[in-house]
């Protein structure tokens, strides 16, 4: 019988299963970040930290914490651009520092994640040449290391970067590549979300061209 996140959360509370609780919250963070619900990611990570403040730092917990740091960093850097609030920048910068340390331990597992965080930080700082190189490095690393879902995320974020910096002609093909990867991964809901976004971008571009008599 398939359980919802809410049901699994209740089971974890009733059985006092720290392992299950970690996974339930991480799954919520994971999905929320991919759906670009960045404030929800921040709330979930804060909930996780409050809940387990002072608990024993087991090997399982350390492994899970790595993913919390990555998704929190991605969401914080997006929020920093949107809100201009310094607290989000600081969280993002802390995530970059943590992933830099992890990269020294395992380049295979963390190279693409670090490059994507760096790309988002460069984007925030308007260092556009460095941002493009970092996005491209993240995509290449994820592809080489066969992290299909993270390759899709990097392509999506690179596409959004290009669109937001008035390079729609380059951005839409990146978004379409991301859609293809998400579909291969089996993330149909995410692929549909991104298709709607691409359609909106194309409609906006067509309207802009028409307003200037460009046909």
């Amino acid at each position: 019988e398939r359980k919802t996140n809410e049901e699994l959360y209740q089971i974890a509370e009733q059985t006092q299963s720290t392992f299950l609780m970690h996974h339930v919250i991480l799954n919520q963070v994971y999905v929320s970040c991919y759906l670009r619900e960045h404030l929800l990611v921040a709330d979930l990570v804060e909930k996780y930290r409050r809940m387990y403040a002072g608990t024993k730092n087991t090997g399982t917990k350390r492994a899970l914490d790595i993913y919390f740091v990555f998704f929190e960093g991605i969401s914080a850097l997006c929020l920093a651009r949107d809100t201009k609030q310094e607290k989000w920048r600081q969280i993002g910068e802390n995530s970059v520092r943590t992933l830099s340390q992890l990269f020294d331990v395992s380049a295979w597992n963390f190279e693409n994640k670090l490059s994507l965080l760096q790309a988002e930080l460069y984007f925030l700082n308007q260092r556009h040449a460095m941002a493009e190189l970092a996005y491209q490095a993240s995509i290449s690393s994820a592809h080489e290391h066969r992290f299909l879902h993270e390759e899709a995320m990097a392509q999506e974020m690179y596409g959004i970067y290009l669109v937001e910096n008035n390079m729609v002609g380059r951005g839409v093909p990146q978004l379409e590549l991301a859609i293809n990867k998400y579909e291969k991964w089996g993330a149909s809901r995410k692929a549909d979300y991104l298709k709607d976004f691409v359609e909106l971008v194309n409609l906006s571009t067509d309207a802009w061209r028409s307003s200037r008599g460009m046909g």
Side-chain angles (χ1 to χ4, degrees):
E1 182 184 357
R2 181 174 295 178
K3 302 289 187 181
T4 66
N5 270 329
E6 290 75 17
E7 290 171 329
L8 289 171
Y9 190 89
Q10 290 175 357
I11 292 169
E13 283 191 320
Q14 292 166 3
T15 60
Q16 297 184 333
S17 172
T18 302
F19 180 81
L20 178 57
M21 186 70 76
H22 283 164
H23 279 279
V24 170
I25 297 175
L26 177 58
N27 180 67
Q28 291 176 308
V29 168
Y30 196 96
V31 172
S32 298
C33 189
Y34 270 94
L35 294 178
R36 302 186 66 78
E37 297 171 343
H38 297 308
L39 279 172
L40 180 55
V41 171
D43 289 344
L44 287 166
V45 172
E46 180 61 26
K47 174 183 178 181
Y48 168 79
R49 290 195 173 129
R50 285 199 310 268
M51 189 175 297
Y52 293 106
T55 60
K56 186 178 179 181
N57 196 16
T58 65
T60 298
K61 183 174 182 295
R62 284 196 300 273
L64 291 171
D65 282 351
I66 291 166
Y67 290 95
F68 280 103
V69 169
F70 173 64
F71 290 123
E72 180 186 34
I74 291 292
S75 290
L77 290 168
C78 290
L79 288 168
R81 286 201 312 276
D82 292 342
T83 68
K84 315 303 180 189
Q85 293 181 23
E86 184 63 23
K87 69 174 183 177
W88 300 122
R89 172 190 287 276
Q90 291 176 2
I91 291 171
E93 289 175 344
N94 287 338
S95 294
V96 171
R97 282 192 287 271
T98 300
L99 266 292
S100 295
Q101 295 169 354
L102 292 168
F103 171 78
D104 291 337
V105 175
S106 176
W108 182 276
N109 286 314
F110 299 114
E111 181 181 59
N112 69 297
K113 298 173 182 65
L114 174 60
S115 293
L116 189 55
L117 283 169
Q118 289 172 327
E120 288 291 293
L121 184 56
Y122 287 135
F123 182 7
L124 176 63
N125 292 334
Q126 299 185 42
R127 297 181 62 187
H128 295 296
M130 294 299 294
E132 289 215 43
L133 289 173
Y135 283 120
Q136 292 163 6
S138 180
I139 293 166
S140 296
S141 176
H143 180 78
E144 180 183 351
H145 300 158
R146 299 186 294 279
F147 297 142
L148 180 64
H149 56 303
E150 292 176 1
E151 183 181 1
M153 175 185 269
Q155 287 172 328
E156 176 189 2
M157 299 187 80
Y158 185 28
I160 290 171
Y161 163 82
L162 291 168
V163 168
E164 291 189 1
N165 285 280
N166 301 313
M167 293 178 277
V168 174
R170 293 175 57 205
V172 167
Q174 282 295 325
L175 294 170
E176 290 172 341
L177 287 171
I179 290 168
N180 179 260
K181 293 293 190 308
Y182 282 129
E183 288 176 337
K184 286 184 178 179
W185 186 38
S188 56
R189 181 184 172 193
K190 175 62 184 183
D192 290 342
Y193 166 92
L194 205 50
K195 286 175 185 176
D196 290 342
F197 178 71
V198 169
E199 183 178 356
L200 181 62
V201 169
N202 285 330
L203 286 171
S204 298
T205 302
D206 290 344
W208 182 87
R209 289 172 64 85
S210 295
S211 72
R212 284 156 179 76
M214 298 172 69

